[in-house]
Amino acid sequence: MKVPMNWLRDYVDINISTKELGDRLTMTGSMAEEIIAKGADISNVVTGKIVQLEKHPDADKLFVCQVDIGAGEPIQIITAATNMKLHDIIPVALHNSTLFGGVKIKKTKMRGLVSNGMFCSEEELGLAEEHVHGLMILPEETPLGKDIKEVLGLDSEIIDFELTSNRPDCMSMIGMARETAATIGTTYRMPDVSYTPNSSENINDFLKVEVRDSVLCSRFIARGVKNVKIGPSPKWMQDKLAEAGVRPISNIVDITNYVMLEFGQPMHAYDFREISTNRIVVERAKAGEKFTTLDGTERDLDENMLTIKDGETAIGLAGIMGGLNSEIKEDTTGVIFEAANFEPINIRVSTAKLGLRTEASTRFEKGLDPNMTQQAIDRACQLVIELGAGQVMEGTIDVYPEKVVPKVMTVDSKWVNAFLGTDIDKEAMKGYLEKLDMAVEISGDDLAITVPTFRVDVSIREDIAEEVARIFGYENIPMTIIESVNARGGKTMKQKLNDKTVEAMICSGLNQSISYTFVSPKCFDRILVPEDDAMRKAVLIRNPLGEDYSIMRTTSLPSTMEALARNYSRSNEIARLFEIGKVYIPGEDVNQLPDERNIAAVGMYGGADFYHIKGVVENLMEALGIKKYEFRRESKNASFHPGKTAALLVNGRHAGVLGEMHPGVIDNYGVAERCYVAELNLDVLYKYADLGREYRPLPKFPAVLRDLAMLVDDSVMVKEIEDIITANGGGLVESVKLFDVYKGKQIPAGKKSVAYSIAYRLDYKTLTDAEVSEVHDNIVKNLETSLGAELR
């Protein structure tokens, strides 16, 4: 919103510079985006009077003028303009002057005669929106030799504010005057809106108003003006409107725009002749109804848009724009003023549908105070009388079924200080709030606050704390450390574990990828999930981008395979990828939020086998400090190769699956390479993670190594053998390493030879052969008993 300083000073005394005011208002929440100095470029341009006017002796189209600039002898100016005459007063750009846009003017010779500058047009002073022909002729009473910026008001400054959407009360001169007064510690003045009707006729005798939708129109006020004299508004009003960015049109229209900018309440004026039924009806439009707005565009309305009608004919689009059929014309003699309040969401939706946004709709869509309509229409009538634009009728039509009253809130001043981290006296709080037109009574530590109806943004105690803080000054609030576990800053344990996971994956040679968590229902078919599998029960997206993104994923396998397939289609010979993400498991109740599980997905192809992906998982276990984990054969997961897949168990809990993807799945994704994928449940891994590291010195005593080779059934898993060795090691077994598995001619059918290297060690002494032999023999005995093993 553009706020001209000359206009703002009508309501509040300002004793600081415009820049300082902009800075201070920014600190209290009204962000000053730009300070516009209208005549900043213009210098050394003064008023002058033509005292002699002759044609140039050597040029038919040039004139030689002697100009009195109030400084002794006249100066000579040569011009090609033709609209001036003797004794006219015009702007004169002297030698070494600058015009709008930074144009430099110096004295020069024109056909042999010296010109000590040039005359100026409105365009050259930045006052014309379009190209103009001819000089700017000033009024006869204009003093000579005066700086043109002072004469034309070009020395004024304008602050362009970027206001937040929750402060519609600031979208007015009075609103900004209120904020200015509170910010710089002074008071503001309301304009005098009192008037005496100068017509004995009463509007109630000529007009009836019916509001058929009180939800969309909470208040509608109408006043009448007769014997209207349409003409230009006075210069002071035109200047203020122009500085605020509104083009002056005519006295009546300018009055409505002036009041809108002054009070923030949009108004509209209807030509009384076009209300032929003497009735105004506020109701929703009919579906498919056509309406031509003031800009001459025919628009298609629907049943959700609110209209102002003369009986059955629309004459205005409520809160947005009036109709072309009821606009104020040059011969208009009777006017109906409207000041109303409309529902903000409806206005916002309607403007979006129509692609039509106006100064009025911009204000209405943020929510305005219905009590402001009375002041606004009073001000409009007062201006009509002041400008002599017509005769204001007696009476008012005011449809206001549910009056909005000020809210009363009680807020503990101690709570405010605790919330802000301040020590502000309750009397000072009272003073800050009263500067914002809030009535405050103190009872003990409580503040009983009456919030004016124009502050639609203040409804909870946190809002009150904000008002206190911004007037007290955010820069005055002392810095304090938050009293919490993370007062000193730092990452949470989950963040640290995530970092460890990413680090372990990258150190394993993988690249991190990101995929969408919403997928297509067809993905389950591509990874061969059975029809009755619970994995197919997914959370549906209500407004999906398309069928391919219509459900939340319950597994990361399709996303991982798509990433591998995309790399394969780009002729990448090797792919090593991982992702940290989520899967969403729905609850039994459709209204229940899904279980969001954190997962780590790994995918690879090209020069990889099962042991590559198993090694990645082992690296992750080591990085997270997880010791009690094991891999167990997995043959029931339809997406994986039944003989090359393992489940990961951590402390006995299922924590993921890894292995080679089923050939059918690989074919479905168009990859001609074996793909290895892991899906790990990070919630389980993080539960048992231990980032603590304990220092252990290097062993001082030697280890005793024993090899153990045995024949076992081919169905025996090496994990079973290792578990028996560890369980019966008597605390002496330091490590167990498998170094040979053999099947051949010397091995009976259905058997295999398995060989281990076992290291025995104690930290506090050297083991004797007898001690080692006793434990080793016990291990062999248990292997023979439990697995039927035969020593080789």
Side-chain angles (χ1 to χ4, degrees):
M1 177 181 170
K2 289 183 172 62
V3 177
M5 291 300 295
N6 286 341
W7 196 354
L8 185 63
R9 288 189 175 94
D10 290 347
Y11 313 101
V12 60
D13 295 326
I14 301 171
N15 55 5
I16 57 178
S17 69
T18 302
K19 184 182 183 305
E20 184 179 352
L21 178 62
D23 291 342
R24 293 182 64 175
L25 284 170
T26 297
M27 291 301 296
T28 56
S30 303
M31 181 177 174
E33 195 171 46
E34 180 185 11
I35 296 178
I36 305 167
K38 287 180 61 179
D41 294 342
I42 300 172
S43 66
N44 206 21
V45 180
V46 299
T47 58
K49 182 177 183 179
I50 301 175
V51 295
Q52 185 176 329
L53 176 61
E54 298 176 346
K55 281 193 173 184
H56 194 293
D58 295 324
D60 293 338
K61 294 185 178 180
L62 296 179
F63 292 89
V64 180
C65 304
Q66 301 300 320
V67 185
D68 181 4
I69 59 170
E73 292 293 324
I75 65 170
Q76 182 170 283
I77 302 289
I78 299 176
T79 181
T82 58
N83 68 316
M84 73 290 180
K85 62 182 184 299
L86 195 63
H87 304 308
D88 276 347
I89 298 178
I90 65 286
V92 182
L94 303 176
H95 175 59
N96 286 332
S97 61
T98 307
L99 301 182
F100 177 74
V103 178
K104 302 291 184 182
I105 302 298
K106 295 181 180 295
K107 68 179 180 180
T108 185
K109 279 190 176 183
M110 300 180 70
R111 293 293 184 94
L113 296 180
V114 174
S115 179
N116 293 290
M118 65 173 279
F119 296 149
C120 302
S121 66
E122 285 94 334
E123 183 179 6
E124 287 156 338
L125 296 175
L127 300 175
E129 297 180 359
E130 301 175 353
H131 179 68
V132 296
H133 298 281
L135 305 179
M136 182 179 189
I137 308 300
L138 299 171
E140 294 180 0
E141 63 275 10
T142 305
L144 303 182
K146 290 289 186 180
D147 190 324
I148 198 66
K149 292 194 290 186
E150 180 183 346
V151 173
L152 299 179
L154 298 178
D155 56 347
S156 65
E157 294 175 305
I158 301 167
I159 305 180
D160 192 358
F161 288 98
E162 182 181 353
L163 302 173
T164 55
S165 59
N166 68 325
R167 292 299 306 275
D169 59 298
C170 288
M171 297 187 72
S172 64
M173 298 303 303
I174 290 173
M176 291 310 304
R178 183 187 301 113
E179 288 293 308
T180 298
T183 298
I184 66 177
T186 184
T187 57
Y188 75 99
R189 302 175 290 274
M190 288 289 289
D192 182 12
V193 300
S194 62
Y195 73 95
T196 302
N198 53 353
S199 171
S200 59
E201 293 181 303
N202 193 305
I203 189 175
N204 290 281
D205 297 333
F206 297 91
L207 184 70
K208 302 296 179 185
V209 175
E210 180 184 359
V211 177
R212 293 180 179 174
D213 195 325
S214 58
V215 174
L216 299 187
C217 178
S218 58
R219 189 176 191 183
F220 192 102
I221 299 181
R223 290 260 177 83
V225 182
K226 59 177 292 188
N227 296 327
V228 171
K229 299 174 183 176
I230 301 297
S233 54
K235 186 177 183 303
W236 63 266
M237 180 177 284
Q238 292 189 38
D239 289 345
K240 287 181 177 180
L241 292 175
E243 285 189 335
V246 175
R247 181 172 61 90
I249 298 173
S250 67
N251 49 6
I252 295 297
V253 176
D254 290 353
I255 285 172
T256 61
N257 287 331
Y258 186 90
V259 171
M260 176 183 69
L261 294 175
E262 186 176 46
F263 280 87
Q265 169 65 49
M267 288 187 60
H268 192 67
Y270 300 96
D271 190 327
F272 205 166
R273 295 173 302 183
E274 303 303 327
I275 308 177
S276 56
T277 62
N278 293 339
R279 290 174 61 238
I280 286 181
V281 179
V282 184
E283 64 178 3
R284 293 174 186 253
K286 297 181 177 63
E289 184 175 347
K290 306 283 188 182
F291 177 65
T292 303
T293 47
L294 273 171
D295 57 3
T297 303
E298 184 178 73
R299 304 184 185 274
D300 296 321
L301 310 184
D302 63 35
E303 63 276 11
N304 294 316
M305 297 177 184
L306 193 65
T307 60
I308 313 298
K309 293 185 175 180
D310 166 25
E312 293 297 321
T313 305
I315 57 175
L317 195 53
I320 302 175
M321 185 178 282
L324 187 63
N325 54 358
S326 63
E327 70 171 334
I328 303 301
K329 308 171 186 66
E330 291 183 0
D331 60 346
T332 296
T333 58
V335 166
I336 296 297
F337 277 137
E338 165 210 303
N341 187 270
F342 302 108
E343 203 276 327
I345 296 177
N346 179 261
I347 298 295
R348 190 178 308 128
V349 172
S350 297
T351 57
K353 287 180 180 178
L354 294 168
L356 177 63
R357 205 150 189 256
T358 62
E359 287 283 349
S361 68
T362 299
R363 287 167 170 78
F364 277 124
E365 68 184 20
K366 292 174 173 58
L368 297 180
D369 175 18
N371 293 322
M372 186 167 54
T373 55
Q374 181 74 51
Q375 294 174 305
I377 206 163
D378 285 347
R379 177 61 160 162
C381 292
Q382 182 263 327
L383 286 171
V384 167
I385 295 174
E386 180 182 331
L387 303 185
Q391 295 178 319
V392 178
M393 293 181 176
E394 292 184 348
T396 300
I397 298 175
D398 188 357
V399 182
Y400 194 12
E402 295 185 18
K403 188 172 183 180
V404 177
V405 298
K407 299 184 290 287
V408 178
M409 303 172 59
T410 300
V411 179
D412 186 348
S413 59
K414 288 185 176 179
W415 176 88
V416 173
N417 277 322
F419 182 73
L420 297 177
T422 55
D423 187 21
I424 303 172
D425 184 75
K426 56 190 175 184
E427 290 289 345
M429 290 186 190
K430 179 177 184 290
Y432 297 147
L433 296 172
E434 287 178 341
K435 287 180 179 180
L436 299 169
D437 285 358
M438 298 184 190
V440 182
E441 293 183 5
I442 299 177
S443 177
D445 291 322
D446 288 340
L447 306 176
I449 305 159
T450 302
V451 182
T453 53
F454 61 77
R455 288 304 303 270
V456 295
D457 61 310
V458 177
S459 58
I460 57 177
R461 62 179 183 173
E462 285 79 5
D463 295 329
I464 296 297
E466 179 186 10
E467 297 303 298
V468 170
R470 67 189 189 88
I471 303 303
F472 172 69
Y474 291 119
E475 69 278 12
N476 296 323
I477 297 178
M479 291 185 292
T480 55
I481 297 177
I482 300 173
E483 296 180 1
S484 68
V485 176
N486 294 319
R488 296 182 181 274
K491 294 183 177 181
T492 64
M493 180 54 67
K494 181 182 176 182
Q495 290 172 327
K496 292 178 181 177
L497 292 171
N498 270 338
D499 290 346
K500 279 290 182 183
T501 301
V502 171
E503 181 183 346
M505 296 292 189
I506 292 175
C507 290
S508 297
L510 276 61
N511 297 303
Q512 188 168 10
S513 65
I514 300 174
S515 62
Y516 290 120
T517 55
F518 31 90
V519 295
S520 168
K522 296 178 182 177
C523 72
F524 299 119
D525 295 332
R526 300 182 76 183
I527 63 171
L528 307 181
V529 175
E531 291 292 337
D532 59 347
D533 197 295
M535 190 182 293
R536 288 181 177 267
K537 184 182 177 183
V539 177
L540 301 178
I541 298 174
R542 182 173 296 175
N543 55 341
L545 298 174
E547 185 183 1
D548 289 346
Y549 306 98
S550 59
I551 63 171
M552 304 301 292
R553 67 183 181 187
T554 55
T555 173
S556 65
L557 296 182
S559 303
T560 305
M561 284 305 302
E562 284 179 9
L564 294 178
R566 189 174 298 110
N567 276 268
Y568 184 80
S569 68
R570 303 298 193 275
S571 301
N572 289 333
E573 296 180 358
I574 297 175
R576 302 286 189 272
L577 304 174
F578 78 95
E579 177 186 0
I580 307 296
K582 291 179 181 290
V583 296
Y584 300 82
I585 311 302
E588 294 297 327
D589 186 353
V590 294
N591 296 318
Q592 180 183 351
L593 289 174
D595 177 18
E596 298 185 24
R597 296 180 186 173
N598 296 287
I599 57 96
V602 180
M604 60 178 66
Y605 72 76
D609 58 24
F610 174 82
Y611 294 104
H612 280 90
I613 199 161
K614 179 173 178 282
V616 170
V617 176
E618 289 173 334
N619 287 345
L620 177 60
M621 297 299 104
E622 182 178 354
L624 296 179
I626 299 174
K627 298 178 176 60
K628 293 183 179 180
Y629 70 93
E630 61 178 300
F631 299 100
R632 187 172 295 174
R633 175 178 289 178
E634 172 64 67
S635 59
K636 295 182 180 180
N637 193 316
S639 301
F640 287 85
H641 192 297
K644 302 179 181 180
T645 305
L648 173 67
L649 280 74
V650 176
N651 278 40
R653 289 186 59 182
H654 187 276
V657 62
L658 64 149
E660 182 181 326
M661 295 304 292
H662 194 284
V665 173
I666 298 174
D667 289 343
N668 287 339
Y669 283 93
V671 181
E673 292 272 0
R674 293 184 178 184
C675 296
Y676 297 88
V677 175
E679 184 178 45
L680 309 176
N681 188 333
L682 292 178
D683 295 329
V684 176
L685 299 187
Y686 290 173
K687 181 177 181 180
Y688 298 105
D690 182 8
L691 298 184
R693 294 292 184 267
E694 182 180 350
Y695 168 74
R696 294 179 62 187
L698 291 173
K700 296 180 179 179
F701 302 98
V704 178
L705 301 179
R706 296 282 180 93
D707 290 344
L708 177 63
M710 70 197 84
L711 288 177
V712 295
D713 290 340
D714 197 19
S715 61
V716 173
M717 307 292 291
V718 294
K719 181 68 169 61
E720 297 177 68
I721 299 173
E722 292 173 4
D723 287 345
I724 291 174
I725 293 174
T726 303
N728 294 279
L732 302 185
V733 175
E734 183 181 57
S735 65
V736 180
K737 294 182 179 179
L738 175 68
F739 66 86
D740 184 52
V741 177
Y742 175 72
K743 296 178 186 179
K745 294 180 181 179
Q746 293 86 9
I747 305 300
K751 297 285 187 175
K752 60 184 174 183
S753 173
V754 182
Y756 282 94
S757 175
I758 305 174
Y760 298 94
R761 192 198 306 264
L762 282 177
D763 292 337
Y764 56 88
K765 74 169 189 173
T766 301
L767 289 171
T768 64
D769 283 343
E771 291 172 327
V772 173
S773 295
E774 181 181 355
V775 173
H776 191 77
D777 292 344
N778 184 50
I779 290 173
V780 171
K781 180 179 178 181
N782 277 277
L783 287 171
E784 292 173 342
T785 304
S786 302
L787 302 178
E790 301 177 25
L791 287 181
R792 294 190 67 196

